[in-house]
Structure formats: C-alpha cells, structure tokens
Amino acid sequence: MALSYSASIDFLYGLQKYGIKLGLDNIAGLLTRLGHPERRFPSLHIGGTNGKGSTAAMAAAVFQEEGLRVGLYTSPHLVDFRERIRVNGQPISDEGVSELTERLQLAAALGPTPTFFEFTTALAFQYFADSAVDVAVVEVGMGGRFDATNVLAPLASGITNVALDHQDHLGHTVEAIAFEKAGIIKPGVPVVIGRMAPEAMPVIEQVAADRGASCFLLGRDFRICGESPAQFRYEGLQATHDGLALPLRGAHQLENAACAMALLELAAERGLPVTERAIRAGLSGVRWEGRLEVVEERPRLVIDGAHNPAAAEVVAAYLRSHRIQHPESRVVLVIGMMRDKDRDGFFRIVLPYADDIVLTQAAMPRAATIEELRPSLGDRAASGHGAPLVADALALARRLAAPEDVICVTGSLMLVGELKALLRGCELSPIRG
C-alpha cells in the first residue's frame, strides 16, 4: 500500500530528532544511490544571512516569465511543508511528497540515516529532475560550506549578506560566519556578493581567489539606483534596465533585486538568457510571503519573519518610514522569538518604534516563553502585554489598535507561519524548522 501524505509528513517530522549534522557525506551518498538527480538540471545557488529567499524568488519569477520550467527550493516553510518545493510557482502535490518519500526511503535505508534537511533536499532535487525543470533556484538552508544543498554545481552562486545568526553552528564572529557562507563558492563558478560587512568581505574574496571564482560585488560591479521598490534602475555587469518595479516592501529589497539581476546576467552568459520583458514582468509579479507582508487593513496588519538584529533593522526602517508618513498612526508590536536568537539585540532595534508591545510565543519547544522574553523589554517590561497563544496575542493587538494604526507581528518565521495558518483557518504543518 502506497504511503499516505500524512504518513510521509510523520516520517519527515520524525527525522528531526536527528538534529542538524553539518557535512556533505550523507547527502552525497543518498544522491549517488538515487542516480544523481542534482546533475540533471542547471541551477543558481543562493546563500546569505538574510534576503536569500527573496533573491531566489525574484530570479525564479524572471525565469518563469521567460517561459522556462523553474524549480524553486526554499526553507523553512510558513504553513505547509509543500511550500519548500515548487515548480513554476506551484508547490509539490501531496501525492508527489508521498511517492518520493517512499522512493527515497528505499535509497536512504542503504546508508546512514539522513537528517530531515538532507532527506528533504534530496527529495527536492529528485522532484526537479523528474519534472524536467530547465533550471532550479536553490536557497541555502544554513551556512553554506556543509549545507546539504552544497552538492550542486551551479551556473553561478550568490551571497546576499553576512550577519550574526546561528552562531552555535556557524561561529561567533562575522569572519567565521562569512567563511561558512563562502563555502558555496565553487572552483571557476562566478559568485555575486551583496552588501557586506567590512570584516566579511576579505574572507569571501580570499575564498573566491583560492578557487579561481570571479567575484562580482554590489556597489562596485553592479548597482541599484532608487530609494523605493516602486521604481528603480539596475546598472549591471553588462545590461542596464530602467523603470523597474517590485511589489515587495522595504528598501532592502532593492539590494536583493540587484543580486538576483546579477545572477540572471551570469546565467545568461552560461546559456539561460532572459528578455527585458521577462525581467520586468517577473520582478513586478514576484510574491514572497511573510516579509513585510500586509495581510489586513484597518488596522494594517504587517507580518515579517525577521529573527536577528540585521533583519530587525529592516522592520525598524519600515516602521520608521510609516511613522514619518502617518504621524497620527500608532504601532502595536507583537513579538515572539526562538530561545536561541539574540533577543536583546532584536528588541533594542525595534522597540523605539512601538507604542504598545504584546509578547507571545509560537507553539513549538524552541520558542522563548513570555517570561524569557520580558527582560529584553528593559525599562518597558512593566508596560508590555503578554499572551502565550498566538490567537490571543492577535486578538489583544486588535483591541489595542485603532483603524488607522499598524499591528506588526515579527521575531520569527515560525510565529509568522502560525499566524498565517490562523488567518487562513487551516492546519499548520508539524514540521517547522
């Protein structure tokens, strides 16, 4: 009897007990037993601390507008596991997950037990190969050097930025994390570099030089002119495009768009050209949920999965801009974070823009409790509200907000996913990390 979708999800969920194992031996062995599906399509490989998912979504949208069959692999998902693996924007079907899980179980049984992410990555690559995609855009899960996706031999690689995050796995300095991120650079494969911290850039350039990989840097080799995603100009490695527009909010998306465009130029040099029409249509139609996403109006409900201080700067910039444009509007901030994140650093950046604060926690063991979050409020600890359940936190925020106000839910993609499931009235996938 064929494996059901629910049984497949239960199996995948069970693999999470094996945790995170940094290294490529397991995934390489599993893909070998599958006949190397990752070699059956060209790819772009995109890493970085923040913005890599948005950059991947933009590149995939342009390829799709060109008429190509495009695979997109990202993580984590917000509501449904199937969001991680898409072809031409459509998530893999329940039946696809079931059939491939069963096939991969047979291959996995012949070697060491894979982790959840290793198994899922192999499943995605097999699905893309079976679907005969023309190109796959693949987001790095964590780090780069030992990430399961790093078995790819891409047309080009991209590193959007480097900031402190996942220090327990990647190192406690920007230089150490930059070295891990630079691990996706392959010999002779060009790499696009976004805006980097000064201490990160020498590390990445050294790795690129050691591997004979051409390095193209935002602000030096390509650039964006404009202050708003509503209209901007791209001056690239070879091409220039004026009057471009993105539906995504936040000036930071301009840098992500620049990286996506540079990657597309490098892919064109290697046999995957895209037209000006595809570029304009792809960028103007791209969707990427959970990043400064407005899901309701009056009061405006904005959700963003920022979970580290660098991403908090993006949320703060949005709230600062909103306050300048609408000085009469108040901000109700709903925050929940994972226990292993820099909570003090995150709160320090966003709290100046909050009139009311509601602390909450996602329904998962890694989530910090309200009691653990409260000290990060500093001198505002006494005035901060608390609601352990996300539904209750949203209800409280709505009571605190007037129609012209903003409710901003942030601090964790897991929190954002739980909220989206609540708003849709659907069940949340048990697989969260």
Side-chain angles (χ1 to χ4, degrees):
M1 184 176 178
L3 202 65
S4 68
Y5 178 69
S6 61
S8 300
I9 292 297
D10 287 344
F11 168 77
L12 293 169
Y13 182 67
L15 291 176
Q16 288 191 316
K17 67 175 177 282
Y18 296 104
I20 296 170
K21 296 177 183 176
L22 297 179
L24 301 180
D25 290 346
N26 277 9
I27 182 70
L30 179 54
L31 291 170
T32 297
R33 293 190 291 277
L34 291 169
H36 289 291
E38 80 285 3
R39 298 179 182 175
R40 289 165 53 189
F41 49 82
S43 62
L44 295 179
H45 195 201
I46 304 174
T49 302
N50 298 308
K52 57 187 181 290
S54 299
T55 302
M58 292 179 205
V62 172
F63 278 138
Q64 187 176 337
E65 284 291 341
E66 186 60 34
L68 300 177
R69 190 163 175 79
V70 186
L72 177 62
Y73 180 52
T74 59
S75 61
H77 63 271
L78 293 178
V79 177
D80 187 336
F81 168 81
R82 300 179 306 118
E83 297 168 19
R84 296 170 180 253
I85 305 168
R86 304 172 191 249
V87 170
N88 279 8
Q90 295 302 308
I92 184 173
S93 66
D94 290 4
E95 294 77 16
V97 173
S98 299
E99 190 270 330
L100 283 172
T101 298
E102 196 165 29
R103 281 172 60 187
L104 265 66
Q105 282 177 327
L106 297 175
L110 300 176
T113 302
T115 65
F116 163 74
F117 191 71
E118 289 168 342
F119 195 99
T120 301
T121 299
L123 192 153
F125 292 167
Q126 186 66 59
Y127 182 64
F128 294 157
D130 292 347
S131 301
V133 298
D134 298 305
V135 62
V137 183
V138 176
E139 177 191 11
V140 172
M142 184 177 69
R145 184 164 65 110
F146 291 133
D147 187 78
T149 62
N150 204 28
V151 294
L152 290 172
L155 300 175
S157 305
I159 303 173
T160 55
N161 52 53
V162 173
L164 293 175
D165 199 9
H166 298 295
Q167 289 99 310
D168 288 348
H169 296 286
L170 304 180
H172 294 275
T173 66
V174 170
E175 292 90 340
I177 294 174
F179 181 74
E180 295 300 325
K181 302 287 184 188
I184 68 170
I185 299 174
K186 303 295 192 304
V189 176
V191 57
V192 168
I193 307 298
R195 196 167 304 283
M196 284 293 147
E199 58 267 47
M201 199 60 224
V203 177
I204 294 172
E205 286 185 314
Q206 185 61 57
V207 173
D210 291 345
R211 297 177 186 175
S214 301
C215 208
F216 300 96
L217 179 62
L218 175 64
R220 185 190 70 187
D221 303 302
F222 62 99
R223 60 189 48 82
I224 285 285
C225 303
E227 297 182 357
S228 168
Q231 185 170 4
F232 61 94
R233 171 186 174 90
Y234 170 74
E235 296 176 357
L237 310 177
Q238 301 291 333
T240 296
H241 302 283
D242 212 346
L244 299 174
L246 280 171
L248 306 180
R249 293 172 180 82
H252 67 291
Q253 293 292 3
L254 295 175
E255 296 183 359
N256 295 334
C259 290
M261 297 280 285
L263 283 164
L264 289 166
E265 285 197 79
L266 293 173
E269 293 176 3
R270 287 153 183 77
L272 283 177
V274 292
T275 61
E276 172 116 358
R277 184 210 64 80
I279 289 168
R280 293 185 183 280
L283 291 181
S284 65
V286 69
R287 293 185 70 247
W288 193 235
E289 295 184 74
R291 283 76 175 178
L292 291 181
E293 180 185 5
V294 176
V295 293
E296 288 181 356
E297 294 285 2
R298 298 190 61 78
R300 172 169 285 198
L301 177 56
V302 183
I303 58 176
D304 190 279
H307 54 271
N308 56 48
E313 295 281 6
V314 169
V315 176
Y318 173 83
L319 296 177
R320 181 167 58 246
S321 175
H322 177 84
R323 176 163 283 176
I324 292 170
Q325 296 173 35
H326 307 280
E328 77 290 349
S329 178
R330 299 172 69 257
V331 173
V332 180
L333 196 62
V334 180
I335 302 184
M337 299 188 72
M338 296 298 108
R339 192 173 286 113
D340 58 343
K341 299 301 178 181
D342 181 2
R343 305 193 294 271
D344 288 347
F346 190 97
F347 277 63
R348 191 161 48 244
I349 292 165
V350 297
L351 286 187
Y353 305 98
D355 296 289
D356 280 302
I357 305 153
V358 180
L359 302 177
T360 190
Q361 61 191 87
M364 60 186 309
R366 282 179 55 217
T369 65
I370 290 172
E371 291 72 25
E372 289 170 328
L373 290 173
R374 196 173 292 279
S376 297
L377 292 177
D379 58 7
R380 301 181 67 175
S383 62
H385 304 274
L389 299 179
V390 173
D392 293 343
L394 179 60
L396 175 55
R398 284 170 168 161
R399 290 197 298 273
L400 293 169
E404 66 273 12
D405 293 341
V406 169
I407 299 170
C408 179
V409 181
T410 189
S412 166
L413 280 167
M414 308 304 150
L415 174 66
V416 165
E418 191 168 334
L419 181 68
K420 288 185 77 74
L422 177 69
L423 294 174
R424 293 177 189 173
C426 64
E427 186 175 343
L428 186 67
S429 169
I431 301 170
R432 308 293 301 282

